[in-house]
Each structure stands twice: as structure tokens, then as C-alpha cells.
Amino acid sequence: MPGTLTSTPLTALDRCDRCGAAARVRAVLPAGGELLFCQHHANEHMDRLRELDAVLNTDEAPAI
């Protein structure tokens, strides 16, 4: 039986893979792997992430 994939909630330590700002969106790619984005970069790349059928988690990271 296949295992269940779970993502831990985003924390204040999670950073955007593009710019290093606080991560607000986790994109889990169907081919494996994940990308973390601030809201600005998530918005910028949203169309392509949807084309790739990425699973988007928008957990709110706590404020520092």
C-alpha cells in the first residue's frame, strides 16, 4: 500500500526559494520535490505551477 504524503506546516524559518523572504506557499511537484515561495513569487509562477499540476499549500507562517 502506498504511503501517505504529508507536509509539515510552514514555519517562520521556511524561506522562499527565489528570494529568501518568508515562505507563504509550498508547491509539491508531481514528479517529486517541493518549492517554497513568498506570496509575490507564488503569484508570479502560479500559472506554470498549475500547468505542472503542483499541489499548492498556502499555510500561513507565524510572524517572527
Side-chain angles (χ1 to χ4, degrees):
M1 180 188 316
T4 301
L5 297 177
T6 59
S7 293
T8 58
L10 293 172
T11 70
L13 298 177
D14 290 314
R15 311 315 282 172
C16 175
D17 290 326
R18 293 287 297 173
C19 69
R24 297 288 182 213
V25 177
R26 180 187 319 265
V28 180
L29 305 173
E34 68 180 21
L35 297 168
L36 300 178
F37 291 112
C38 63
Q39 193 62 59
H40 166 80
H41 283 110
N43 292 343
E44 182 178 331
H45 298 290
M46 190 64 62
D47 291 339
R48 181 67 178 136
L49 292 169
R50 287 187 177 137
E51 287 175 17
L52 294 171
D53 291 325
V55 175
L56 303 174
N57 298 317
T58 57
D59 299 332
E60 288 291 322
I64 298 175

